Amino acid sequence: MEIEPLLQAALVDQRAWLSNYGCREPQISIQPGSFRVIEETTHQDYPAWLVQGTLQSQSDVGAGNRYGNGYFYYRTYELMFARFGGIRLPPLSTLPPVWPLASYHPLELECLGLFVRIGSHNHWALLYYCGARWAGRDYFAILRNEALSSLKQVRIISG
């Protein structure tokens, strides 16, 4: 199974995410050779492959775009997570009022993906979760089990 061509959808999604946060030249790439199949399985009776690897990217919010739309979006999400106690975030995962880091600083995203082949070999669904690794914290490791559980609960409607 060739993983990297199937990951192009995740790269497009991450570029759009960074653009939405005001980044004019979003950087995202696959760390060569990092992705591997960790489980062959099924999802809703479709053949599926659980993969894990690393994407090289950049942060979405930092000091330089603190007053832009990205800051507004981030603070909105942060308040939403704070209000609904059932959504658990790891400690220190939100941004402090003043960041020592420049906007869009490089970081690694550890990625857990579930490729689901629906019908022919040309029809795939990609469900994925990314967690940042920077500033001495590995957010992916903290939330990996919850992410895996969420991926496996997603229902795919084909039609």
Side-chain angles (χ1 to χ4, degrees):
M1 174 179 181
E2 291 188 51
I3 297 171
E4 292 189 8
L6 295 173
L7 281 171
Q8 295 308 306
L11 298 183
V12 169
D13 182 56
Q14 288 296 308
R15 277 190 200 100
W17 177 270
L18 290 167
S19 293
N20 191 41
Y21 276 80
C23 183
R24 291 189 178 109
E25 296 180 27
Q27 302 297 313
I28 182 80
S29 62
I30 299 167
Q31 182 173 313
S34 70
F35 276 87
R36 66 194 184 291
V37 174
I38 57 175
E39 181 183 346
E40 289 188 38
T41 185
T42 59
H43 187 79
Q44 291 176 234
D45 297 326
Y46 297 116
W49 292 262
L50 186 65
V51 300
Q52 186 171 334
T54 304
L55 300 175
Q56 300 292 328
S57 188
Q58 58 196 123
S59 66
D60 47 14
V61 181
N65 65 342
R66 165 175 192 186
Y67 298 105
N69 286 340
Y71 175 84
F72 173 75
Y73 297 145
Y74 196 97
R75 285 299 185 204
T76 301
Y77 297 150
E78 182 181 47
L79 292 172
M80 178 185 72
F81 286 124
R83 174 165 178 159
F84 301 104
I87 301 175
R88 292 179 296 142
L89 288 179
L92 304 176
S93 67
T94 55
L95 297 173
V98 177
W99 302 285
L101 299 168
S103 295
Y104 315 119
H105 59 277
L107 55 77
E108 289 183 341
L109 294 174
E110 192 67 22
C111 183
L112 186 65
L114 185 66
F115 292 109
V116 183
R117 191 176 70 214
I118 301 170
S120 75
H121 289 281
N122 295 327
H123 293 91
W124 294 84
L126 168 59
L127 313 172
Y128 76 102
Y129 162 81
C130 290
R133 185 170 42 232
W134 63 278
R137 299 281 301 197
D138 187 347
Y139 296 107
F140 178 84
I142 295 168
L143 295 175
R144 185 185 189 283
N145 290 339
E146 288 86 352
L148 181 57
S149 175
S150 295
L151 290 177
K152 290 184 174 186
Q153 290 179 40
V154 171
R155 307 307 323 147
I156 297 172
I157 300 171
S158 65

